[in-house]
Amino acid sequence: MISAAALALAGLSLDACSKPPPAQVSTTRVFARDMEGKAAICTISDVQAADGKETPETMATSGGGWCGIPLRSAAGPYTAGLLTQPAHNGRVYVHTVGDDTRIDYIPKAGPVVPDVFAVQLIPGNAIVRVSVTPASTTGTKS
Amino acid sequence: MTNRILNTCVASLFSLGLFASAAAQAQTVCISPAEEDAFQIGALKSELTVLAIGCKTEEAYNSFVERYRPELVAKDAVVNAWFRHTYGGAAQKNYDAYITLLANEHSEEAQREGTDFCPRMLTMFKEVMALPSATVLAEYAETKDVVPAAVGACAGPAQPERTARVTRVSTKKK
């Protein structure tokens, strides 16, 4: 057996044999229940939560299901979320989906109306403040 | 959780069939933020009870109860008080019906998910035990969507952070 050290000494780079990094995929199980019922239109701003800071996030959704914001810390999904500002026109559900923590917003039945809510993620105490707006029917699907 | 305002409102009469007979007329009553916290924590406890029984994780459940016992007892007293002042002599009957409703809702969810339910939901024990203190238990519960759809926020202006929140619960008229 040739050890990595021996290869290195021989001037062979192990990197040369390595494959390109795979696309970011979940290494943990994703349950069907967490993927069902997504809103037809769900557009979110592409931001990352930062420990100890508040990050504004925008969400445009058509309603009729959940619209989710996937987030992950350096160590993977956050352990838990706290609803520090409740939504008024919908429900918020924070759960682990694969390697992400997903913050779902489920508008009340009927037309989506503007809403705002905030979730604090632990550990790290990153706060995500989400402004929800009704999506234009010509909007982009996420 | 500062400056919460007791905010009670009565919405239109309707029947959800939650309690007692199907013919019973129910009334939507908004509860105070403090009461909502109590309802949220009660619903969380119910969800975790279903998990403990269905997934045979009594040890994790016992750890949860042991850690949060003072908060659980205090919030249960708030819920009981709400049923007493709302239903008077019929409080116990309606309280029992509400607890049954919670358990049934959570059990039905478990049945819908089938074999995925336990592996998907058991992370809740890890989550709840990772909370920094009991004071955020309600804020955690609110992210788990544990209160049945029949219990929801009343219409009104946008809510400031952790203040002036109102929630409705379906009740039967006294």
Side-chain angles (χ1 to χ4, degrees), chain B residues 2-32:
Chain B
T2 56
N3 299 322
R4 287 183 156 193
I5 301 166
L6 183 67
N7 202 338
T8 303
C9 61
V10 178
S12 60
L13 295 175
F14 69 108
S15 175
L16 289 176
L18 294 182
F19 311 131
S21 73
Q25 283 292 298
Q27 191 177 30
T28 300
V29 178
C30 291
I31 59 177
S32 72

Side-chain angles (χ1 to χ4, degrees), chain B residues 124-136:
Chain B
M124 281 182 71
F125 283 115
K126 182 183 169 192
E127 293 173 6
V128 76
M129 295 305 281
L131 300 181
S133 74
T135 58
V136 297

Side-chain angles (χ1 to χ4, degrees), chain A residues 4 15 29 42 99 130:
Chain A
D15 289 340
R29 188 173 170 191
C42 170
D99 293 331
V130 184

Side-chain angles (χ1 to χ4, degrees), chain A residues 11-105:
Chain A
L12 297 172
S13 169
L14 289 175
D15 289 340
C17 302
S18 63
K19 294 176 182 174
Q24 196 172 50
V25 294
S26 174
T27 56
T28 52
R29 188 173 170 191
V30 175
F31 295 97
R33 179 72 178 84
D34 291 319
M35 306 310 290
E36 296 166 349
K38 187 177 182 181
I41 301 174
C42 170
T43 308
I44 56 170
S45 51
D46 186 19
V47 295
Q48 284 299 312
D51 285 0
K53 293 183 180 174
E54 181 174 312
T55 304
E57 175 81 73
T58 59
M59 171 186 289
T61 179
S62 59
W66 56 265
C67 184
I69 301 169
L71 297 165
R72 78 175 66 170
S73 70
Y78 290 91
T79 306
L82 306 174
L83 191 64
T84 55
Q85 182 179 359
H88 191 72
N89 300 306
R91 294 175 290 127
V92 177
Y93 179 39
V94 180
H95 54 137
T96 301
V97 180
D99 293 331
D100 291 325
T101 291
R102 203 175 76 202
I103 301 173
D104 289 355
Y105 175 76

